[in-house]
Amino acid sequence: QREGAAPSQNEPTGEPESLRGRVYQKMGDMVQYDKPKELEELKEKKRKKAEERKRGGDSIVQKKAKMDIQKGETVLSTDVTEMQIYRPRTQTTKAVYENLLYR
């Protein structure tokens, strides 16, 4: 049994309802078998970009890593002090960073 106020007219009761007379198409009638246009547009854009890259390879610049770490090295073994990547913002982190630098 349901507790609380009586259900309004539009609220579902959980009772099964028949769909007879409400279904206007047969199942599967709305299926489309062609590829989406957006997919074709994306493929065309990608193909044009690849052609541009082949023709003018110098115009597109590859991103370079901030820290140039060679294979086999770790962040601790490279000299981070010359790169000026990290700048402490608060007084606490400045003190800790200076402590690490002067060890």
Side-chain angles (χ1 to χ4, degrees):
Q1 286 271 336
R2 179 177 152 83
E3 291 183 10
S8 67
Q9 294 290 24
N10 297 332
E11 189 175 319
T13 60
E15 189 176 325
E17 298 178 17
S18 172
L19 294 176
R20 185 175 187 175
R22 290 200 211 171
V23 180
Y24 301 111
Q25 298 101 341
K26 289 186 177 182
M27 297 295 259
D29 281 355
M30 304 295 284
V31 172
Q32 296 178 354
Y33 291 102
D34 37 331
K35 294 181 181 178
K37 292 179 183 177
E38 295 87 16
L39 183 65
E40 294 297 326
E41 290 172 1
L42 287 175
K43 283 184 179 180
E44 182 69 24
K45 203 178 214 182
K46 191 173 182 180
R47 187 183 59 77
K48 284 182 181 178
K49 208 174 207 181
E51 284 179 8
E52 272 185 39
R53 205 174 295 137
K54 283 182 183 177
R55 277 189 273 132
D58 298 335
S59 63
I60 298 175
V61 178
Q62 294 288 335
K63 286 186 177 180
K64 187 179 176 186
K66 286 184 180 179
M67 293 195 315
D68 193 22
I69 298 175
Q70 304 297 324
K71 191 171 188 176
E73 291 183 348
T74 65
V75 178
L76 299 175
S77 65
T78 56
D79 190 17
V80 184
T81 55
E82 294 176 9
M83 290 184 228
Q84 296 297 323
I85 293 173
Y86 176 72
R87 284 185 223 111
R89 305 250 190 297
T90 63
Q91 292 295 327
T92 335
T93 54
K94 281 181 187 177
V96 173
Y97 186 66
E98 287 175 2
N99 190 12
L100 284 173
L101 289 179
Y102 296 120
R103 275 191 180 179

